[in-house]
Amino acid sequence: MLKSLRFLWQIFFLLPVVTIASELIINIENRNNKSLNGQWNVIIDPFENGYYDYRYKPSQYGYFRNAKPEKKSDLIEYDFNRSPSLRVPGDWNTQSDTLLFYESTIWYKKSFDYNKKEDKRVFIYFGAANYHAIVYLNGKKIGEHTGGFTPFNFEVTEKLKKGSNFIIVKVDNKRVRGGVPTLNFDWWNYGGLTREVCLVEVPEVFIRDYMIQLEKGSKEKVKGWVKLSGKESNQGVTVQIPELGISESFKTNGKGLAEVSFNGNFKLWSPQNPKLYQVIISSDMDEVRDLIGFRSIEVEGNEIVLNGSPVFLRGISIHEESPLRDGRAYSREDSRILLEWAKELNCNFVRLAHYPHNENMVRVADSMGILVWAEIPVYWTIEWNSEETFINARKQLSEVITRDKNRASVILWSVGNETPLSEQRLIFMSNLAQFARDKDPNRLITAALENHYKDKNTVVINDPLGKYLDVLGCNEYIGWYDGLPGKCDSIEWETFYKKPLIMSEFGGGALYGFHADTLTRWSEEFQEDIYKHQVSMLDKISFLRGTTPWILKDFRSPRRPLPAIQDYFNRKGLVTEDGLKKKAFYIMQEYYNKKKRSLQK
Ligand code: GCU
């Protein structure tokens, strides 16, 4: 046993960071890009006949060739142009009733014209594709990506033709045991090209990535870096913040990386004042503009400290489902409405569960002044002993940190949710926590832990993973899965750690409009009663510094079939899928109002 654990440590610690897609380019929306969104022709391929031959070997005559009969006797048994189409961005499940439960492969094809420019490089960028994507350009494979919630890009400069081109993407959302997430999860397995697709045109040597944030613990010193596309050394890089009259120049080292540090008299970003500055990063050939807020976030004992002052995180958990239509959210508008519902609840914080949401969500949170908990789908019981699973989880963590590290709203990286205690799991997740800490020393690391009873009336937070976290998250369902609402009144909370706690899930289900007494399951009164008892229990927890009840909106889940009540929706929302408020919404709204007032005193 000890030998295998030692072996696990060695594996995880010494594993090189493997990259499949080319290094991520950040801040795509402010670059010169050509959208490929819109209708894409699709072939629904449950048996993956377009990929494997009848011996189940990858076939070289697959659908990626987009072959056409050249003479009347030719045998081609597929034709994208005469096939139906699906909207991109968008999950496929809610675009056609026949695809609602569909879990396998769909091939997407998009033809486009491109006018190549000599001195430019071109990348194809995907906001996300759930779950495994293989990408082909003009019949040639250009790369693949695993993980349904993070961006990836491939260079296509040499593969693009002048004039008409076609891109084909095989997207497969089959769940796999070694996956992240694994086979079992409580949300809809929306498949497809769920976020934007575009071509990004950049100069020969371009600004690929940068981190422009305040140094940990400082309110005026920026400490960061700018990474150029290649390993060009001694290249000039300038960071300007015109509003503050800042213009600082730096040189790249042998890896094309310029360390950046300078002081500024910043108006600090906060929920009360979500101040964003235009930041201009330029190099010899390239210039990128971004809107960045500057704030400091730390922990001191049980306190979460924002810009030097303790803060209580009045939050709500959210799944990435659109408030406007069925299915996955992806647009600025989706994000704005979801966050406005959260604001109506008097929130200053949201937990984006259980996977990285789209970039629009964190950019809108930046502008609306909503603090964010971001999470990767290390959810329930994944394969802790699998090297591949660890690499997959770490890559998803790496991709979301890369994409969102300049967002002031994002304060917490969560490395997982409700994962069972074991030595392997502890090694796996503590390594993820360390990876996040190394990659982004500025933010706080957390995870949603499970609670354990010390005795009948005492719950204790003693998960060994707590040692590796800055902030403890804990999910509890006292009053729903665990007893009836009144049980909350007799529960005391203890913790092993001198660290702040966020109660990352609590609540219960209710069918909107179903009214009865407080002991009738599924009635709004039962749910309301849970919240009444919960908030008075929560108020007694001395080390509690935030709450994100489960959940803002009723959401689709294949685990919830109860007819006429759930109908494949998890009904724990405080509002329905159409935004109708349940009685419990007002309990939480009032609780946060009271909290807000007490802290303003
Ligand atoms: C779990 C889990 C959620 C799930 C919720 C529920 O705690 O983290 O993903 O939806 O409970 O049972 O409703």
Side-chain angles (χ1 to χ4, degrees):
M1 175 65 166
L2 205 54
K3 202 155 144 306
S4 72
L5 292 177
R6 197 165 301 112
F7 168 66
L8 267 174
W9 267 112
Q10 275 150 7
I11 284 189
F12 288 139
F13 242 101
L14 305 173
L15 270 174
V17 178
V18 181
T19 52
I20 295 170
S22 53
E23 277 181 273
L24 205 50
I25 304 173
I26 69 165
N27 189 10
I28 292 298
E29 66 180 55
N30 291 314
R31 297 188 189 252
N32 181 3
N33 68 60
K34 171 188 165 79
S35 172
L36 293 177
N37 292 346
Q39 291 296 317
W40 289 50
N41 290 102
V42 295
I43 299 177
I44 300 164
D45 187 12
F47 284 36
E48 301 191 303
N49 181 55
Y51 188 76
Y52 296 106
D53 63 19
Y54 80 117
R55 291 276 177 256
Y56 214 67
K57 296 246 177 323
S59 158
Q60 56 174 309
Y61 303 105
Y63 294 169
F64 55 84
R65 286 177 170 274
N66 191 21
K68 301 271 175 266
E70 275 144 25
K71 51 190 190 300
K72 63 183 179 190
S73 60
D74 279 355
L75 173 60
I76 306 285
E77 295 184 285
Y78 66 92
D79 181 347
F80 277 103
N81 296 347
R82 283 190 290 149
S83 297
S85 68
L86 287 175
R87 181 194 71 245
V88 171
D91 60 275
W92 60 56
N93 310 73
T94 55
Q95 293 191 54
S96 130
D97 294 350
T98 54
L99 295 174
L100 184 60
F101 288 88
Y102 185 73
E103 293 188 297
S104 186
T105 280
I106 291 187
W107 295 83
Y108 286 76
K109 194 274 290 186
K110 182 84 173 174
S111 298
F112 61 93
D113 289 330
Y114 197 76
N115 174 14
K116 267 183 92 167
K117 303 180 190 71
E118 287 321 306
D119 61 346
K120 294 290 182 207
R121 295 170 67 180
V122 187
F123 290 75
I124 182 151
Y125 177 91
F126 296 84
N130 192 46
Y131 172 72
H132 182 240
I134 307 181
V135 182
Y136 305 84
L137 178 65
N138 301 329
K140 301 245 172 353
K141 179 178 174 181
I142 52 172
E144 55 188 290
H145 182 267
T146 300
F149 305 101
T150 47
F152 54 100
N153 46 242
F154 303 106
E155 176 148 21
V156 290
T157 313
E158 304 313 320
K159 299 194 177 88
L160 269 176
K161 288 187 295 184
K162 226 176 188 23
S164 100
N165 293 266
F166 65 89
I167 183 106
I168 289 181
V169 189
K170 173 187 184 297
V171 184
D172 177 10
N173 75 333
K174 274 197 297 299
R175 288 166 290 123
V176 287
R177 182 68 192 91
V180 181
T182 182
L183 295 169
N184 191 12
F185 45 85
D186 192 29
W187 65 82
W188 207 264
N189 186 24
Y190 292 113
L193 296 176
T194 51
R195 295 180 192 158
E196 76 280 7
V197 184
C198 62
L199 293 170
V200 188
E201 206 176 71
V202 288
E204 267 314 309
V205 178
F206 64 94
I207 297 165
R208 178 188 293 282
D209 193 0
Y210 51 86
M211 177 147 185
I212 308 291
Q213 290 275 285
L214 287 176
E215 182 175 39
K216 192 141 190 96
S218 174
K219 295 188 187 58
E220 55 280 323
K221 182 164 183 224
V222 167
K223 190 166 177 310
W225 45 267
V226 176
K227 174 80 180 68
L228 297 185
S229 50
K231 296 198 174 355
E232 294 75 11
S233 63
N234 219 19
Q235 298 276 308
V237 163
T238 301
V239 178
Q240 295 169 67
I241 308 183
E243 195 178 331
L244 295 174
I246 289 174
S247 177
E248 300 278 345
S249 296
F250 309 92
K251 287 283 182 203
T252 57
N253 63 16
K255 293 200 181 90
L257 184 84
E259 303 283 347
V260 165
S261 77
F262 58 87
N263 281 10
N265 181 15
F266 297 102
K267 284 201 190 73
L268 296 176
W269 182 97
S270 70
Q272 295 79 2
N273 177 23
K275 172 66 185 165
L276 298 175
Y277 288 91
Q278 185 174 58
V279 176
I280 305 170
I281 299 142
S282 49
S283 64
D284 300 356
M285 291 186 186
D286 199 6
E287 178 184 291
V288 182
R289 295 171 179 240
D290 205 347
L291 284 176
I292 299 180
F294 296 88
R295 54 99 189 95
S296 79
I297 188 76
E298 300 161 273
V299 286
E300 281 163 20
N302 288 339
E303 297 302 342
I304 297 176
V305 181
L306 175 69
N307 300 334
S309 315
V311 63
F312 186 91
L313 301 174
R314 307 185 312 269
I316 187 79
S317 297
I318 299 182
H319 258 302
E320 189 190 43
E321 281 192 343
S322 171
L324 297 170
R325 59 179 186 281
D326 204 354
R328 275 269 171 250
Y330 55 77
S331 68
R332 272 291 204 283
E333 185 64 359
D334 288 330
S335 306
R336 198 180 51 69
I337 294 173
L338 287 169
L339 294 179
E340 270 171 8
W341 289 356
K343 277 223 162 181
E344 222 182 317
L345 198 58
N346 286 319
C347 289
N348 60 4
F349 176 57
V350 289
R351 176 187 176 203
L352 303 182
H354 291 291
Y355 38 77
H357 288 211
N358 60 79
E359 189 172 350
N360 288 317
M361 195 61 161
V362 288
R363 285 190 177 270
V364 174
D366 260 16
S367 55
M368 287 174 72
I370 301 235
L371 296 155
V372 168
W373 158 314
E375 185 163 293
I376 55 168
V378 172
Y379 180 95
W380 289 348
T381 312
I382 67 167
E383 290 234 286
W384 309 112
N385 299 336
S386 154
E387 183 184 340
E388 202 186 324
T389 302
F390 180 77
I391 291 173
N392 178 349
R394 186 179 58 191
K395 195 159 74 56
Q396 295 189 38
L397 187 56
S398 177
E399 289 167 349
V400 67
I401 294 177
T402 298
R403 188 194 74 185
D404 296 343
K405 63 188 174 303
N406 292 298
R407 305 281 75 78
S409 56
V410 180
I411 56 168
L412 287 153
W413 300 120
S414 165
V415 291
N417 178 75
E418 291 187 359
T419 49
L421 302 188
S422 78
E423 195 50 31
Q424 288 85 345
R425 167 258 190 185
L426 184 61
I427 294 170
F428 191 110
M429 295 192 72
S430 56
N431 275 302
L432 287 177
Q434 191 54 49
F435 177 81
R437 218 178 276 295
D438 297 344
K439 196 169 171 69
D440 178 3
N442 289 352
R443 286 181 177 78
L444 306 176
I445 311 298
T446 190
L449 310 175
E450 292 184 308
N451 62 317
H452 304 96
Y453 277 86
K454 188 171 115 184
D455 58 42
K456 205 159 124 331
N457 296 326
T458 313
V459 178
V460 60
I461 301 187
N462 56 3
D463 185 324
L465 181 61
K467 183 167 150 232
Y468 302 92
L469 308 176
D470 301 303
V471 173
L472 309 171
C474 184
N475 297 357
E476 51 90 3
Y477 281 93
I478 302 170
W480 182 256
Y481 295 126
D482 174 4
L484 293 172
K487 178 173 179 177
C488 295
D489 308 347
S490 61
I491 300 294
E492 299 295 322
W493 285 77
E494 289 180 8
T495 176
F496 261 34
Y497 303 99
K498 191 158 184 39
K499 296 183 179 187
L501 169 68
I502 294 174
M503 204 61 88
S504 40
E505 286 184 37
F506 58 92
L511 178 65
Y512 175 80
F514 172 36
H515 294 288
D517 60 40
T518 58
L519 284 176
T520 302
R521 286 265 174 187
W522 305 112
S523 68
E524 287 195 44
E525 287 69 22
F526 190 112
Q527 186 191 40
E528 181 188 34
D529 200 40
I530 291 177
Y531 275 83
K532 283 182 182 162
H533 288 277
Q534 278 280 347
V535 293
S536 61
M537 175 187 73
L538 294 167
D539 255 352
K540 287 182 284 177
I541 305 176
S542 61
F543 46 93
L544 184 74
R545 292 297 176 276
T547 48
T548 51
W550 193 259
I551 184 165
L552 177 65
K553 183 176 88 56
D554 288 355
F555 62 95
R556 278 190 179 281
S557 168
R559 301 177 71 252
R560 312 290 172 173
L562 185 60
I565 291 196
Q566 294 176 315
D567 294 320
Y568 291 108
F569 276 83
N570 182 314
R571 294 284 178 210
K572 294 192 180 70
L574 291 176
V575 303
T576 65
E577 61 270 31
D578 316 307
L580 303 171
K581 297 181 180 63
K582 303 176 189 176
K583 290 174 99 173
F585 180 97
Y586 302 103
I587 303 298
M588 216 53 218
Q589 186 186 51
E590 181 42 32
Y591 174 68
Y592 282 161
N593 208 10
K594 219 177 60 215
K595 270 261 178 245
K596 212 165 142 182
R597 284 201 307 272
S598 67
L599 284 167
Q600 275 156 358
K601 278 203 198 92

